[in-house]
Amino acid sequence: MPQTSGSTGGTPETHVIDFRAAEQLLAARDPRGAVKLLDSVIAAHPENTAARLLRARAFFAAAQLRPAELEFTIVLEREPDNAYAHFALARTYERQGRDDQARRHFRLAAALDPNPQYLKAARFDA
């Protein structure tokens, strides 16, 4: 019998299901529920950058800014060219009042991807 969702010893299929369910929970504005599901996925697969990025987003949505910062930083250590992770880390710093660090990551995001949202946040004209 397969192990239940949320355990660290689940099958790869269980982890995929948990990841997809966490995406749905985050979309439904239940970031804490998403974090709980992702904890087991990341415990079993700490190298899974997509799960870490989703957990970082969930922490941010739950206003758990220090854990969000840590997860976004781990993602960027593995994928330094991830424009979205730079942008999200910048927003995390911004919410913590760490404007110099935020500006640096907003500008990195915009340099990596000329997304209008990233360019506006980078405030190159300021």
Side-chain angles (χ1 to χ4, degrees):
M1 180 159 215
Q3 292 188 340
T4 59
S5 171
S7 66
T8 57
T11 65
E13 295 81 11
T14 301
H15 296 140
V16 169
I17 292 166
D18 285 350
F19 180 86
R20 297 293 177 218
E23 287 180 317
Q24 294 299 316
L25 286 171
L26 188 57
R29 297 195 172 136
D30 181 5
R32 293 179 197 282
V35 167
K36 285 180 187 175
L37 286 177
L38 291 165
D39 285 346
S40 66
V41 174
I42 292 169
H45 305 281
E47 76 290 349
N48 187 321
T49 304
R52 287 194 175 275
L53 185 58
L54 186 59
R55 185 164 70 170
R57 290 176 50 217
F59 279 135
F60 182 84
Q64 295 179 12
L65 301 179
R66 296 296 289 170
E69 176 187 343
L70 175 63
E71 290 293 344
F72 285 129
T73 300
I74 290 169
V75 169
L76 287 169
E77 286 171 359
R78 296 172 184 181
E79 297 179 1
D81 60 345
N82 187 321
Y84 175 79
H86 280 290
F87 179 76
L89 179 59
R91 288 185 60 215
T92 304
Y93 285 142
E94 187 177 58
R95 283 179 67 182
Q96 293 173 323
R98 296 159 65 186
D99 294 336
D100 288 344
Q101 289 168 292
R103 187 175 311 106
R104 177 176 179 268
H105 285 279
F106 279 136
R107 289 182 173 184
L108 283 166
L112 290 164
D113 180 354
N115 174 317
Q117 185 179 15
Y118 300 171
L119 289 168
K120 181 180 178 187
R123 298 188 303 266
F124 285 115
D125 54 355

